């Protein structure tokens, strides 16, 4: 049994599809099939049921657990040896949502790579729940994710951002739906916090995927006691700001998303802190790793650089209320 064969087996269990896994690993389907057959012969057990579709056997599940442990221990050993030798060479396996990784990595990687030019990255984009599972199974070294409740004992989690949610609506849309007089009253009422219940006539951009943001937005509408009129439902968070800025729909946007897209935010967009149960809403973002993870010098520096980026973001307030025409004419 060798590491390459175990890794191929472990990768196949993710897709349960020979063609897809072989393509992802840049090997032929026949090569992958031969590796699995060799492993089954060596262990003397059948790892997969082939029909009606590929499925792990009970023996295969135990081998998978073993493969995950071996993979994690192998990486851990290499990190220990590199630390002993004082090498600044390695790979950081990072997990984060597409939005969060695209927000922070371009900002911090130039500084990090200047200090550690021979360290590369393996980036996984996924939901917070899946990233926690991947951490637990040793598939990634570090994750940026939302965590609620008690932190599992096998994980170390440091709070790095209170990612505030904002209610955003353009002046054009607000005046069109409510008229200028009512719109001004709504803006005055919402300056220190907006409730979606006060804006029930507006069309909305809503998240289509089942992530933490979509769940939070749903809670707000449930509290308000109505189903929003949906202008657009999408999984693409990057179009939230442009849709709002064009005056097509109101949106609920996280601080991180807003900060990344300030250059696309129209000058007539009102940005109010969103309230739920009369309190501002935050998604608590953590930097997480396994408790038994070896923290190399370069990983420690990367974590410090990430924390500095999020410290700056924590101190930004993006609330913005557009001045009325009367105010502008004074």
């Amino acid at each position: 049994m060798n590491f390459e064969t175990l890794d191929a087996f472990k990768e196949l269990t993710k897709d349960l599809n020979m063609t897809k896994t072989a393509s992802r690993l840049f090997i032929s389907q026949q090569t992958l099939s031969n590796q699995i057959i060799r492993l089954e012969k060596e262990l003397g057990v059948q790892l997969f049921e082939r029909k009606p579709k590929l499925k792990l056997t009970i023996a295969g599940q135990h081998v998978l657990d073993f493969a995950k442990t071996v993979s994690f221990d192998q990486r851990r050993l290499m990190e220990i040896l590199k630390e002993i030798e004082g090498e600044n060479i390695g790979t950081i396996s990072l997990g984060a949502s597409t939005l969060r990784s695209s927000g922070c990595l371009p900002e911090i990687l130039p500084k990090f790579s200047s200090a550690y030019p021979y360290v590369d990255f393996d980036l996984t984009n996924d939901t917070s729940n899946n990233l926690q599972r991947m951490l637990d199974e040793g598939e990634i070294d570090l994750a940026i994710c939302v965590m609620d409740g008690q932190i599992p004992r096998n994980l170390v989690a440091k709070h790095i951002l209170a990612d505030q949610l904002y209610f955003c609506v353009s002046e054009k849309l607000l005046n069109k739906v409510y008229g200028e007089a009512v719109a001004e009253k709504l803006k005055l009422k919402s300056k220190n916090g907006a409730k979606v219940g006060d804006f029930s006539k507006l069309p909305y951009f809503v998240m289509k995927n089942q992530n933490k943001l979509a769940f939070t937005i749903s809670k707000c509408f449930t509290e308000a006691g109505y189903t929003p009129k949906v202008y657009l439902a999408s999984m693409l968070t990057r179009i939230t700001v442009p849709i709002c800025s064009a005056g097509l729909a109101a949106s609920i946007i996280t601080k991180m998303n807003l900060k990344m897209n300030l250059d696309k935010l129209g000058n007539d967009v009102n940005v109010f802190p969103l309230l739920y149960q009369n309190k501002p809403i935050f998604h608590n973002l953590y930097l997480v790793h396994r408790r038994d993870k070896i923290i190399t010098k370069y990983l420690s520096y990367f974590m410090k650089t990430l924390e500095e980026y999020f410290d700056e973001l924590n101190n930004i307030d993006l609330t913005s209320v557009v001045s009325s025409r009367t105010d502008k004419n004074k």
Side-chain angles (χ1 to χ4, degrees):
M1 188 188 308
N2 57 49
F3 291 137
E4 183 181 355
T5 303
L6 269 181
D7 283 341
F9 163 73
K10 184 161 65 73
E11 291 302 315
L12 180 56
T13 64
K14 295 177 182 179
D15 305 313
L16 293 175
N17 183 296
M18 282 279 185
T19 304
K20 185 175 181 180
T21 301
S23 176
R24 187 161 54 80
L25 297 179
F26 301 102
I27 60 177
S28 70
Q29 185 174 336
Q30 187 60 54
T31 298
L32 178 59
S33 178
N34 289 341
Q35 287 177 316
I36 300 304
I37 291 171
R38 263 198 317 270
L39 185 59
E40 287 182 324
K41 286 182 178 179
E42 184 177 353
L43 296 176
V45 295
Q46 184 177 339
L47 300 175
F48 294 97
E49 294 177 9
R50 267 65 172 182
K51 294 181 180 181
K53 59 182 180 180
L54 211 60
K55 179 183 177 182
L56 270 176
T57 61
I58 295 176
Q61 184 59 60
H62 284 287
V63 175
L64 175 60
D65 293 340
F66 172 76
K68 289 176 179 178
T69 301
V70 168
S71 178
F72 178 78
D73 287 345
Q74 181 192 12
R75 291 213 318 271
R76 191 166 183 266
L77 174 61
M78 295 306 298
E79 288 163 354
I80 292 172
L81 296 178
K82 287 177 180 178
E83 194 74 3
I84 291 172
E85 294 298 321
E87 292 185 28
N88 295 323
I89 302 172
T91 299
I92 295 176
S93 179
L94 174 68
S97 70
T98 302
L99 174 67
R100 293 175 188 126
S101 59
S102 60
C104 65
L105 292 184
E107 297 291 329
I108 70 170
L109 285 185
K111 178 181 178 181
F112 175 82
S113 294
S114 177
Y116 292 95
Y118 303 111
V119 175
D120 54 25
F121 289 83
D122 181 9
L123 178 63
T124 298
N125 292 128
D126 214 323
T127 63
S128 291
N129 286 340
N130 285 339
L131 292 175
Q132 288 179 53
R133 176 190 56 76
M134 295 174 73
L135 275 173
D136 189 54
E137 295 179 353
E139 295 181 16
I140 55 177
D141 302 322
L142 193 66
I144 301 170
C145 56
V146 175
M147 299 186 78
D148 296 317
Q150 189 172 359
I151 307 298
R153 289 185 178 182
N154 67 322
L155 299 180
V156 176
K158 181 170 183 179
H159 186 265
I160 53 173
L161 178 67
D163 199 6
Q164 186 163 14
L165 271 61
Y166 290 93
F167 178 85
C168 303
V169 58
S170 72
E171 190 80 351
K172 177 172 64 177
L173 180 60
L174 204 57
N175 289 336
K176 177 183 176 181
V177 174
Y178 288 100
E180 291 185 22
V182 175
E184 284 303 311
K185 292 180 180 178
L186 286 171
K187 285 161 56 180
L188 182 63
K189 180 180 180 181
S190 304
K191 184 175 181 179
N192 295 318
K195 296 181 179 180
V196 294
D198 293 328
F199 298 89
S200 59
K201 294 181 180 180
L202 292 177
Y204 282 86
F205 173 96
V206 297
M207 298 306 302
K208 197 173 184 179
N209 49 334
Q210 297 302 310
N211 59 12
K212 178 68 175 177
L213 179 58
F215 177 70
T216 302
I217 292 172
S218 178
K219 286 199 308 182
C220 291
F221 287 116
T222 299
E223 180 188 43
Y226 76 98
T227 300
K229 179 168 64 175
V230 177
Y231 171 79
L232 176 64
S234 174
M235 297 176 67
L236 300 176
T237 54
R238 64 176 178 270
I239 68 172
T240 312
V241 171
I243 290 293
C244 182
S245 297
L248 299 172
S251 302
I252 294 171
I253 310 175
T254 64
K255 175 189 280 190
M256 196 165 185
N257 192 357
L258 265 180
K259 176 66 169 56
M260 288 170 54
N261 293 284
L262 283 178
D263 59 328
K264 300 181 183 70
L265 190 68
N267 293 327
D268 79 327
V269 176
N270 296 285
V271 181
F272 307 113
L274 180 66
L275 299 182
Y276 175 69
Q277 295 182 345
N278 295 316
K279 296 179 181 178
I281 310 175
F282 302 89
H283 284 170
N284 289 308
L285 207 60
Y286 289 83
L287 190 57
V288 192
H289 62 83
R290 274 176 54 150
R291 192 170 294 279
D292 57 0
K293 174 68 183 171
I294 297 296
I295 306 299
T296 60
K297 291 178 182 178
Y298 59 78
L299 183 56
S300 177
Y301 183 74
F302 177 70
M303 292 166 67
K304 178 184 176 184
T305 310
L306 267 177
E307 290 167 19
E308 290 172 352
Y309 168 84
F310 284 106
D311 279 344
E312 291 184 10
L313 191 55
N314 265 316
N315 295 323
I316 297 175
D317 182 5
L318 297 177
T319 301
S320 176
V321 182
V322 179
S323 299
S324 65
R325 290 183 181 178
T326 303
D327 292 336
K328 291 177 182 178
N329 293 330
K330 284 182 180 179

